[in-house]
Amino acid sequence: MIDLKEKVAVVTGGARGIGRAIALRLAEAGADVVVSDILDEAAQVTADQVRQMGRRSLAVAVDVSKMEQAEHLIATTIAEFGRIDIMVNNAGITRDNLLMRMNEDEWDAVIAVNLKGAFNGIKVVTRPMMKQRSGKIINMASVVGIIGNAGQANYAASKAGLIGLTKSVAKELGSRNIQVNAVAPGYIETDMTRDLPEAAKETFQTLIPLKRSGQVRDVADAVLFLASPLSDYITGQVLHVDGGMVM
Ligand code: NAI
């Protein structure tokens, strides 16, 4: 049994999809959870669900691509709960297009949220975690950051960058007992993947040895493991949650 009682977690992009599942999974294990998202009302709903599970919670409206908003998120968390043990940098977006058609705005938006957003999230928890001499940072990458994907050059670059960021920070913070890992989901059924063309969904299915798409709970379980003491000797790793799609 994983017990996260007395632990305080922050989940970005926690209003829906994988982020919401992570917030609820951590709460189920006993953690208090700060739910942050650019979607304020939906974040409030997730926070309410956490409270219904008997844990403390708070929703904080944040655009992760803005450093001052990330600073506000952690200042609020520390003011309210006194510490930060688990930081899940999950917020992410897609702006898919073939490179020939991809414009600068599509490139910049994805890098700003997926890569700079995680940098901001890591920066703001580093000092409090170093002081505590403990912490878990979990970054949401993607198998696309490992194998690439036509039509997703911006997204793949952001997720590949996130993996390099994860490994570098793991090396920097290891001596302070802070573990930094990434999770690389494959094809998970969420709002983000809902509008994929049917042909693309079928192609994914043929590439998955476990012969099913992933559910948000599959990713949340992996994050729970990386957030728990069971993973205390694991850092700088990329945990694939993809039914075996990428080996
Ligand atoms: P989603 O679109 O359902 O949820 C993403 C959440 O992030 C939303 O609540 C959204 O409001 C929030 N968000 C977007 N921009 C933000 C910003 N600037 N600041 C704060 N919050 C922001 O997507 P899903 O599927 O739950 O994805 C979550 C993470 O998992 C993303 O990083 C995504 O790249 C990654 N992922 C998802 C996969 C999938 O198959 N669904 C596969 C691999 C990775």
Side-chain angles (χ1 to χ4, degrees):
M1 240 277 283
I2 293 175
D3 184 3
L4 296 183
K5 275 198 206 79
E6 313 294 323
K7 302 284 184 196
V8 175
V10 172
V11 182
T12 71
R16 67 180 198 197
I18 292 171
R20 179 176 55 200
I22 292 167
L24 299 178
R25 192 73 186 92
L26 296 176
E28 214 178 296
D32 297 321
V33 185
V34 175
V35 180
S36 90
D37 204 288
I38 205 161
L39 301 174
D40 193 19
E41 277 178 35
Q44 298 284 355
V45 174
T46 307
D48 283 343
Q49 289 174 322
V50 170
R51 279 189 284 267
Q52 280 159 20
M53 298 164 81
R55 313 315 323 168
R56 295 183 297 170
S57 189
L58 193 67
V60 185
V62 167
D63 177 346
V64 293
S65 67
K66 307 277 190 284
M67 178 60 95
E68 69 280 5
Q69 296 191 27
E71 283 167 350
H72 165 72
L73 168 63
I74 296 312
T76 309
T77 301
I78 304 265
E80 199 76 17
F81 299 135
R83 55 189 295 118
I84 159 90
D85 301 287
I86 301 158
M87 179 67 180
V88 186
N89 292 303
N90 163 78
I93 59 169
T94 52
R95 295 284 184 275
D96 297 351
N97 224 335
L98 292 172
L99 188 84
M100 285 288 288
R101 292 198 208 115
M102 186 175 290
N103 63 40
E104 210 179 333
D105 288 346
E106 289 165 336
W107 174 270
D108 288 345
V110 169
I111 299 295
V113 176
N114 298 8
L115 186 53
K116 185 167 180 233
F119 165 75
N120 291 343
I122 292 170
K123 273 287 277 187
V124 294
V125 298
T126 297
R127 198 178 296 273
M129 285 184 174
M130 280 171 75
K131 268 198 195 158
Q132 284 167 203
R133 291 202 155 261
S134 70
K136 302 277 190 181
I137 300 173
I138 300 144
N139 299 320
M140 198 54 63
S142 165
V143 292
V144 166
I146 297 156
I147 58 172
N149 197 21
Q152 290 198 306
N154 49 359
Y155 185 78
S158 73
K159 297 299 189 180
L162 189 53
I163 290 170
L165 174 65
T166 300
K167 293 179 180 181
S168 303
V169 179
K171 289 185 175 180
E172 290 186 24
L173 300 183
S175 64
R176 305 304 179 102
N177 190 33
I178 299 167
Q179 291 83 24
V180 189
N181 291 289
V183 173
Y187 169 38
I188 312 294
E189 286 179 28
T190 67
D191 289 322
M192 186 179 269
T193 50
R194 193 190 46 215
D195 296 332
L196 280 175
E198 280 310 311
K201 290 184 187 173
E202 278 165 27
T203 308
F204 274 131
Q205 302 276 5
T206 61
L207 297 171
I208 301 171
L210 289 180
K211 294 295 166 213
R212 66 170 176 90
S213 52
Q215 303 299 314
V216 291
R217 176 85 177 192
D218 295 316
V219 183
D221 283 343
V223 171
L224 174 63
F225 168 68
L226 291 174
S228 81
L230 294 182
S231 61
D232 278 355
Y233 200 53
I234 298 175
T235 197
Q237 301 305 307
V238 183
L239 180 53
H240 293 209
V241 183
D242 62 358
M245 186 174 15
V246 174
M247 298 184 185

